[in-house]
């Protein structure tokens, strides 16, 4: 062989070697991408390296890898959509909160109940967004779970005037460190309201029975006092001196007043059956305001009564008068101690679907938020002994309930108080 | 376990496996339709221990589930479409 031929052969061999090395490297590289180990030299000798066409095989396998990946992605998307739908439509609030108490994610229910519509909740502090506070509550279950790493089962917490039952569980990273909390909460506000109403109704029934019983017992002796005093007054032969006659008249007057009180108690215990008729509510309002005119003027209270339209309600006028009287009296009494500014009581009427709405408002001191839930309770009063029995509002609520209406109070401390009650309208809205 | 799928057997026992993995991959490629359609499973019989380590990784990536059973003198690697 010529030396030139030898050189050519060596060149060919080296280039062959380089090619095989290249193929081997690429095969191993591709295999490692597929998630497996490189091949040993014994597993793949040089001749099979070429015969087997490894790169061809791997290329085809890659096709399957990609198809599988696509399928997996599709399934993940479906699963994610399903989970999101569950997340959002489940009837409870779900939030994921990180260790700094920032909201990582929350579902639609959570937003609906505690996030105002234009607020972005994600990334903000949960106590800011959900509780409207600048630091977490002392009894916050999320704080506890973050601190202890343990779940908290069903704690009742108040957030923005709503009551929630909350369960929290920790989110851990691979090392078991707590990195956040999942908080699931259920709105129990309505349930609590119903419970509260039940409690109040029970109390009212008990008190009503008691009051009714006493009123009945008192009615007879009081009737006798009134009867005998009247007899004596009418007896021309009794030879009463004028000053005695005057005292007797006071006895009759006071006995009548006592009778009114007893009738009120019977109203309260609902042992006097209301007699319903169709009555214009404005007339009752005007009449009651007139009764109190002296007290308004002597206490320099302005009345602002605007009743532009005639509304007919199905009601017992005597009982509704009692309601309005109680509400006006409360407002008058609330102004005691208020001096040096204008004192106004306003009365409005309006139509609310099948109901007529009456609003009685004052710009008095208002009712503190913490006692607002109790004011309709019988015997609840903030007034000194002898000034208030705490029966006024519970009588009102009893009467309104009997009329199949509703009554509620709203108040802002320092600004005033507003009582609104609804009575079934008699007939369709006028106009 | 109940299955009506046919077993495609790749028996490479007693051979110095020339890249057992590549042959298995090649088999998975050429029988793709039947395997993916769950009409067949691929059973690889090998006495090469390394194969039990290389095959599962690649097969997972391609969407197959892999089970390895050690028989008396060989391994049986079953590959089927992952549900
Ligand atoms: N307009 C109002 N402004 C401020 N507080 C009010 C007003 N109306 C009611 N309240 C509060 O609600 C409490 C309960 O009222 P309610 O009429 O039931 O009883 P009362 O007025 O105390 O006693 P009673 O009516 O039996 O004389 C009052 O003691 C008062 O604290
Ligand atoms: Mg009162």
């Amino acid at each position: 062989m010529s030396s030139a031929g030898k050189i050519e052969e060596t060149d060919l061999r080296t280039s062959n070697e380089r090619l095989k090395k290249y193929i081997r490297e690429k095969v191993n590289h591709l295999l490692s991408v597929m998630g497996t180990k490189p091949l040993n030299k014994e597993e793949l000798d040089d001749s099979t390296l070429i015969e087997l066409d490894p790169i061809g095989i791997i290329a085809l396998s890659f096709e399957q890898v990609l198809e599988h990946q696509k399928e997996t992605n599709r399934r993940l998307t479906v699963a994610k959509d399903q989970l999101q739908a569950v997340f959002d439509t489940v009837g409870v609030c779900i939030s994921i909160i990180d260790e700094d108490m920032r909201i990582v994610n929350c579902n639609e229910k959570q937003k609906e109940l505690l996030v105002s519509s234009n607020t972005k909740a994600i990334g903000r502090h949960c106590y800011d967004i959900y509780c409207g506070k600048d630091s977490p509550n002392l009894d916050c279950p999320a704080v506890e779970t973050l601190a202890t790493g343990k779940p908290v089962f069903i704690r009742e917490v108040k957030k923005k005037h709503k009551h929630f039952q909350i369960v929290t569980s920790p989110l851990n990273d691979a090392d078991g460190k707590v990195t956040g909390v999942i908080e699931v909460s259920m709105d129990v506000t309505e349930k609590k309201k119903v419970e509260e109403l039940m409690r109040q109704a029970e109390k009212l029934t008990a008190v009503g029975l008691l009051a009714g019983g006493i009123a009945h017992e008192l009615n007879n002796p009081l009737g006798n006092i009134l009867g005998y005093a009247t007899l004596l007054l009418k007896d021309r032969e009794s030879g009463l001196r004028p000053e005695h006659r005057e005292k007797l008249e006071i006895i009759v007057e006071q006995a009548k007043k006592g009778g009114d009180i007893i009738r009120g108690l019977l109203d309260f215990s609902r042992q006097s059956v209301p007699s319903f008729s169709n009555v214009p509510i404005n007339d009752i309002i005007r009449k009651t305001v007139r009764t109190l005119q002296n007290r308004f003027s002597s206490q320099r209270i302005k009345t602002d009564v605007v009743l532009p339209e005639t509304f007919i309600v199905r009601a017992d006028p005597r009982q509704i008068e009692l309601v309005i009287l109680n509400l006006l009296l409360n407002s008058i009494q609330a102004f005691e101690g208020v001096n040096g500014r204008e004192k106004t009581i306003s009365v409005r009427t309006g139509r609310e679907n099948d109901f007529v709405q009456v609003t009685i408002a004052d710009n008095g001191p208002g009712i503190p938020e913490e006692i607002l839930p109790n004011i309709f309770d019988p015997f609840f009063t903030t007034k000194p002994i002898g000034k208030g029995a705490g029966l006024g509002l519970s009588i009102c609520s009893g009467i309104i309930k009997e009329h199949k209406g509703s009554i509620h109070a709203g108040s802002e401390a320092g600004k005033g108080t507003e009582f609104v009650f609804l009575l079934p309208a008699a007939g369709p809205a006028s106009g | 376990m109940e299955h009506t799928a046919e077993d495609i057997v790749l028996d490479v026992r007693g051979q110095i496996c020339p890249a057992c993995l590549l042959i298995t991959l090649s088999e998975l490629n050429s029988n793709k339709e039947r395997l993916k359609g769950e009409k067949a499973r691929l059973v690889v019989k090998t006495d090469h221990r390394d194969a039990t380590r290389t095959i599962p990784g690649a097969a997972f990536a391609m969407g197959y589930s892999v089970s390895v059973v050690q028989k008396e003198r060989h391994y049986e690697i079953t590959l089927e479409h992952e549900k």
Side-chain angles (χ1 to χ4, degrees), chain A residues 326 330 333 383 392-393:
Chain A
N326 265 303
N330 278 349
Q333 287 160 0
K383 292 164 193 170
L393 288 178

Side-chain angles (χ1 to χ4, degrees), chain A residues 325-327 329-331 333 380-381 383 387-393 396:
Chain A
L325 188 74
N326 265 303
L327 296 178
L329 276 175
N330 278 349
S331 289
Q333 287 160 0
F380 178 86
T381 182
K383 292 164 193 170
K387 275 265 165 134
L391 281 176
L393 288 178
C396 292

